[in-house]
Amino acid sequence: MDKEYWNARWENQQTGWDIGYASTPIVTFFNTFPDKDAKILIPGCGNAYEAAHLLEAGFTNITLIDIAPRAIAQVKERFTGQQIEILLGDFFDLKGDFDLMLEQTFFCALEPSQRPDYVKQASRLLERKGGEIVGVLFDVTFEKEGPPFGGSAEAYEQLFEKEFTIRKLEPCYNSIGPRQGTELFIRMAYKNG
Ligand SMILES: C[S@@+](CC[C@H](N)C(=O)[O-])C[C@H]1O[C@@H](n2cnc3c(N)ncnc32)[C@H](O)[C@@H]1O
């Protein structure tokens, strides 16, 4: 799935993943996260509802990236005049150093063969600051061929454990209604050395 695939999904409004608001597990996490100046990356941001919530909550250092020009055009319009970095591009080419990377239906949108590269790229983006990936991953095997592509706690543990200390990988207690029982909440910290 490349840029053309994703942009066509946006152009044709085939955006079934879009819940229309910031997801509860992420909102709950940030309710008690103390550092409002943390440098936060939201890859595959789509409509970036989480970013709107974070700006309202006083977070000052948010970067969005999405590969689909249509998604980024919408987001740029929505956030006009606000203090936020909005990038059109491929997550895998991104350079920078972040404290936190938010995961909300981006990992599941990638081909499973790209998962090791996701882990490598996340560790590059988080290593300088000793940052963390925070958010939700699906804990389900989907009947249809993805995206979305599912997975399991065991598989994620194996995938991430070389580069990250797994601080949380547990059934999500506060998923939104339609996703209840299908998500894991994750908090994975870049492992130094
Ligand atoms: C399933 S959607 C999720 C959007 C948003 N996170 C949400 O939950 O509503 C996946 C998004 O990732 C974007 N995307 C896919 N591959 C990408 C890549 N390599 N780099 C950046 N964005 C990508 C797509 O354009 C799409 O907007």
Side-chain angles (χ1 to χ4, degrees):
M1 283 103 41
D2 55 6
K3 177 178 172 175
E4 282 66 41
Y5 169 87
W6 286 108
N7 205 47
R9 296 279 306 241
W10 281 98
E11 293 285 356
N12 300 325
Q13 297 177 6
Q14 292 170 336
T15 53
W17 61 76
D18 191 310
I19 62 174
Y21 53 90
S23 94
T24 325
I26 289 177
V27 169
T28 306
F29 173 81
F30 278 101
N31 280 346
T32 56
F33 192 81
D35 182 5
K36 301 278 193 209
D37 297 321
K39 194 160 163 52
I40 302 171
L41 172 67
I42 309 184
C45 63
N47 269 322
Y49 303 109
E50 285 71 28
H53 171 78
L54 291 178
L55 285 173
E56 226 165 80
F59 287 86
T60 61
N61 204 341
I62 303 167
T63 300
L64 308 179
I65 185 166
D66 201 289
I67 204 166
R70 177 63 185 267
I72 288 298
Q74 284 178 204
V75 157
K76 279 194 170 158
E77 202 178 319
R78 181 162 324 112
F79 290 108
T80 303
Q82 302 205 56
Q83 190 194 329
I84 184 163
E85 186 175 28
I86 302 174
L87 305 172
L88 171 62
D90 190 330
F91 164 73
F92 294 99
D93 297 333
L94 181 64
K95 294 198 167 53
D97 299 306
F98 297 89
D99 295 298
L100 290 176
M101 182 172 121
L102 285 202
E103 181 43 63
Q104 168 72 24
T105 67
F106 173 56
F107 179 89
C108 71
L110 301 170
E111 292 278 359
S113 63
Q114 290 181 289
R115 290 179 175 182
D117 288 340
Y118 172 103
V119 175
K120 268 193 216 118
Q121 173 63 345
S123 67
R124 273 186 222 114
L125 296 169
L126 296 168
E127 67 184 333
R128 288 272 302 271
K129 288 168 160 273
E132 295 184 49
I133 307 172
V134 172
V136 282
L137 294 178
F138 279 118
D139 181 22
V140 70
T141 305
F142 293 105
E143 276 171 25
K144 283 204 298 188
E145 175 74 356
F149 297 96
S152 66
E154 295 69 35
Y156 300 144
E157 197 173 336
Q158 275 186 21
L159 184 69
F160 284 93
E161 70 185 355
K162 278 194 211 91
E163 310 263 3
F164 289 88
T165 300
I166 297 175
R167 296 183 62 187
K168 226 173 228 179
L169 175 62
E170 60 191 32
C172 195
Y173 72 91
N174 55 358
S175 293
I176 63 161
R179 293 188 185 164
Q180 266 174 25
T182 67
E183 288 184 318
L184 298 162
F185 191 78
I186 60 160
R187 199 166 169 187
M188 304 194 184
Y190 176 76
K191 214 185 240 184
N192 283 312

